[in-house]
Amino acid sequence: MTEETRRTGRPGRRPPEVRCRAGAVRAVPDAAPGASGAHADDGLRIETARVAAGTAVVAVTGEIDLRTAGPLRDRLVEMHGRMPGAGPRRLVADFAAVPFCDAAGLGALVAAHNQISAAGGEIALAGVRPAQLRLLKITGLHRLFAIHRDVEAALSGQDSPTRSG
């Protein structure tokens, strides 16, 4: 029996772990009850950069992974709910400062999309890096989200080059 299996109390079972992009391994901490929101110690920042004509630009900074996916989803839905106006409301998530997004992050985006579209809104993505765009295309999510080269393209109303009817 190894030291790791003794700590879990189950022979042959290791505690769950997350592999970071750089290859470092760390155990997944237990979630604190009632914890929500993205904090600086999560390594993820989500802030409203600007609001104009029914569109809010949300700057997302940091890695989106198992630890930060839930706060990302919650924060996007919360920000959409606080937008002024009765007409269609649109969030443009600026991913220019997101170096990494895994499957948990994609799941959080889909969950936020579902809640926001049910309320009559939409999420568009801007500044998505090539590796993330590849993941969105492989999973077919490029058909769910309008994906723009940058925030300016998203705000100018240009059609998304990735979205197909």
Side-chain angles (χ1 to χ4, degrees), residues 8-21:
T8 62
R10 291 183 263 171
R13 307 269 332 234
R14 290 187 174 161
E17 55 188 37
V18 174
R19 292 201 178 270
C20 296
R21 196 168 38 100

Side-chain angles (χ1 to χ4, degrees), residues 80 87-91 112-123:
H80 181 263
R89 297 171 305 178
R90 181 174 182 234
L91 287 180
H113 162 80
N114 291 343
Q115 287 185 264
I116 289 170
S117 65
E122 110 176 76
I123 299 177

Side-chain angles (χ1 to χ4, degrees), residues 28-114:
V28 178
D30 292 333
S36 65
H39 304 286
D41 60 352
D42 290 338
L44 185 69
R45 295 184 59 113
I46 306 158
E47 302 172 332
T48 303
R50 59 182 139 160
V51 179
T55 299
V57 176
V58 178
V60 182
T61 305
E63 293 189 357
I64 304 170
D65 57 20
L66 187 60
R67 284 181 312 118
T68 58
L72 172 67
R73 178 199 62 236
D74 296 344
R75 192 82 170 102
L76 289 174
V77 171
E78 173 192 330
M79 290 173 136
H80 181 263
R82 288 188 313 181
M83 287 179 64
R89 297 171 305 178
R90 181 174 182 234
L91 287 180
V92 175
D94 182 3
F95 269 47
V98 176
F100 177 78
C101 181
D102 66 8
L106 295 180
L109 286 173
V110 170
H113 162 80
N114 291 343

